[in-house]
């Protein structure tokens, strides 16, 4: 089967994105959040794989890193979104649930910045 | 047809209730502002956010403050026909020490929600809250509001004294007289104050530990209601237990039936097997629904105790641990959907208007 080619779509200029604030785009019937964080640009589907919450209404944050018992190490600032409902954390880049409580991944999208323009790559849906 | 048996209307702060209080009590609450949430934040701080962030309107600290927004966000979106409103801030009086203040506060909230929610959308039905501290005052509050057709239940917050205790008898008598069920929901004050329920073994250390164990409060109170003979004394009484989960009920029903079979002499106020009382008098709400890897495992367990007779649907909107109605209902076994979505609820909430064709 021939893989479906991804389409590159512009979503704005870098300066259009306030730090850690998602902007929501409706692209081919999908609600996708694009965000600029301290860790870069990310794009993720605005649906939590657990119970369908609007994931991009959640906070952008970091998470606790693996450490020995009784020690707390914070890291990955700007690489995680916390679901606005049950509080499960997902990596923005991969959509994977940080602690594995939710087996399904959130859907993350490839994103690129070129000369100040931000582009997202999605599978086109034709009506 | 969907009846959501757990929706929380909220006030922004105590001043929202002032219109329904005598002047001296407005002064009291202004000069001595009481915390109007049950949980002791300084003991069990929430690790993230207690409300769904998408349910909190700009400028608000809590979700569930606007009946029109909730109607759109919850009822319209998920095609919910009736929402049983359980005011959680009123239930928080379980942790208060001033019985009079508690009675005035719950009474004011009852009036507030009847006027500002039920009058706005007929899908909202209210469980009026009574204070558990003063059963005589509670009985008077039931009598005061029972004629209102939007009142469909009585919310009874739990104290550190199980619901089978005769302390509560005047409340049960008043509810039965008016044909109203008792709704019992977590108050948030569990394990937080002297004279509120704690969990077995002693004080939990963290928010998560406490939250994982709150089912025990429902379990202990169900056993108390059944085994202290409350349903024999009040044969028309119905009880709805909310936000305690329900999967524990399977093991509890087996254990209670075993005790009935083997130790009847210690249960002088009962006349039948506990499982029969549960099926006839009690309903348990789904949220927070347990999530085994294989969802059907939960229902295999529950079918063994005929849970299709006593489980009702609930969302707990707008709290963070809400269950999404559409997804949860879609996950129910097909042959149990009607029972859980509305039939069991109608049985425990007899005042609800039954739409034609259901």
């Amino acid at each position: 089967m021939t893989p479906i080619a991804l389409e590159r779509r512009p979503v704005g200029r870098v300066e259009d994105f306030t730090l850690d604030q998602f902007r929501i785009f409706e692209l081919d019937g999908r609600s996708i959040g694009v965000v600029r964080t301290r860790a870069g640009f990310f794009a993720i589907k605005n649906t939590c794989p657990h119970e369908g919450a609007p994931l991009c209404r959640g906070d952008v944050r970091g998470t606790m890193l693996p450490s020995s018992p009784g020690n707390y190490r914070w890291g990955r600032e700007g690489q995680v979104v916390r679901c606005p409902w049950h509080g499960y954390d997902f990596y923005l880049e991969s959509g994977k649930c940080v602690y594995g409580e939710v087996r399904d991944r959130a859907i993350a999208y490839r994103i690129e910045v070129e000369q100040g323009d931000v582009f997202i790559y999605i599978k086109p849906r034709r009506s | 047809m969907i009846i959501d048996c757990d929706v929380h209307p909220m006030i922004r702060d105590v001043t929202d209730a002032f219109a329904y209080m005598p002047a001296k009590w407005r002064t009291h609450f202004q000069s001595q502002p009481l915390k109007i949430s049950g949980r002791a934040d300084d003991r069990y701080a929430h690790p993230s956010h207690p409300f769904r962030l998408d349910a909190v309107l700009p400028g608000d600290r809590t979700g569930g403050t606007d009946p029109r927004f909730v109607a759109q966000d919850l009822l319209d979106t998920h095609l919910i026909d009736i929402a049983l409103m359980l005011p959680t801030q009123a239930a928080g009086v379980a942790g208060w020490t001033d019985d009079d203040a508690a009675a005035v506060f719950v009474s004011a909230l009852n009036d507030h929600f009847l006027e500002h929610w039920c009058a706005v959308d007929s899908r909202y039905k209210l469980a009026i809250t009574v204070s558990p501290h003063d059963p005589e005052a509670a009985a008077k509050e039931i009598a005061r509001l029972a004629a209102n057709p939007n009142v469909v239940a009585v919310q009874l917050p739990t104290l550190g004294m199980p619901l089978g205790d005769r302390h509560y008898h005047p409340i049960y008598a008043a509810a039965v007289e008016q044909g109203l069920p008792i709704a019992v929901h977590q108050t948030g004050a569990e394990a937080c104050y002297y004279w509120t329920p704690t969990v077995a073994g002693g004080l939990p250390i963290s928010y998560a530990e406490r939250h994982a164990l709150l089912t025990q409060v429902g379990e202990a109170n169900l056993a108390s209601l059944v085994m202290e003979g409350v349903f024999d004394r009040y044969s028309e009484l119905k009880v709805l237990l909310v936000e305690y989960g329900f999967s524990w009920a399977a093991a509890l029903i087996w254990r209670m039936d075993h005790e009935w079979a083997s130790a009847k002499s210690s249960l002088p106020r009962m006349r039948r097997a506990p499982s029969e009382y549960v099926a006839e008098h009690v309903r348990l709400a789904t949220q927070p629904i347990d999530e085994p890897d294989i969802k059907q495992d939960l229902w295999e367990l529950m079918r063994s105790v005929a849970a299709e007779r006593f489980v009702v649907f609930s969302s707990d909107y707008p709290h963070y641990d809400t269950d999404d109605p559409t997804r949860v209902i879609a996950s129910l076994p097909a042959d149990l959907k009607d029972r859980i979505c509305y039939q069991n609820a109608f049985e425990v909430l007899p005042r609800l208007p039954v739409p034609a064709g259901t």
Side-chain angles (χ1 to χ4, degrees), chain A residues 47-54 57-59 61 82-88 103, chain B residues 47-49 51-56 78 289 291 293 320-324 327-328:
Chain A
T47 305
C48 178
H50 175 225
E51 283 204 7
R57 291 292 297 270
D59 295 329
R61 57 202 317 273
R82 172 164 287 182
C83 176
W85 290 10
H86 299 88
Y88 293 134
R103 287 185 171 185
Chain B
S48 51
H49 43 78
F51 291 92
R52 276 175 49 164
L53 296 179
D54 58 333
V56 180
H78 299 287
I289 199 162
E291 298 176 277
D293 287 344
Y320 81 103
D321 50 348
T322 185
D323 279 337
D324 181 78
R327 289 203 175 204
V328 166

Side-chain angles (χ1 to χ4, degrees), chain A residues 103, chain B residues 247 289-299:
Chain A
R103 287 185 171 185
Chain B
S247 57
I289 199 162
D290 289 320
E291 298 176 277
D293 287 344
I294 301 170
K295 284 190 166 60
Q296 290 314 110
D297 286 352
L298 176 63
W299 296 105

Side-chain angles (χ1 to χ4, degrees), chain A residues 5 27 30 41 55 61 65 77 86 92-93 101-102 109:
Chain A
L27 298 172
R30 284 164 289 198
F41 270 89
L55 188 58
R61 57 202 317 273
L65 302 177
E77 190 66 53
H86 299 88
L92 284 161
E93 185 161 26
E101 310 98 316
V102 181
Y109 300 87

Side-chain angles (χ1 to χ4, degrees), chain B residues 123-136:
Chain B
R123 291 172 291 182
Y124 292 128
K125 301 298 175 191
L126 182 65
I128 55 166
T129 306
V130 296
S131 169
H133 302 287
D134 182 345
E136 298 299 334

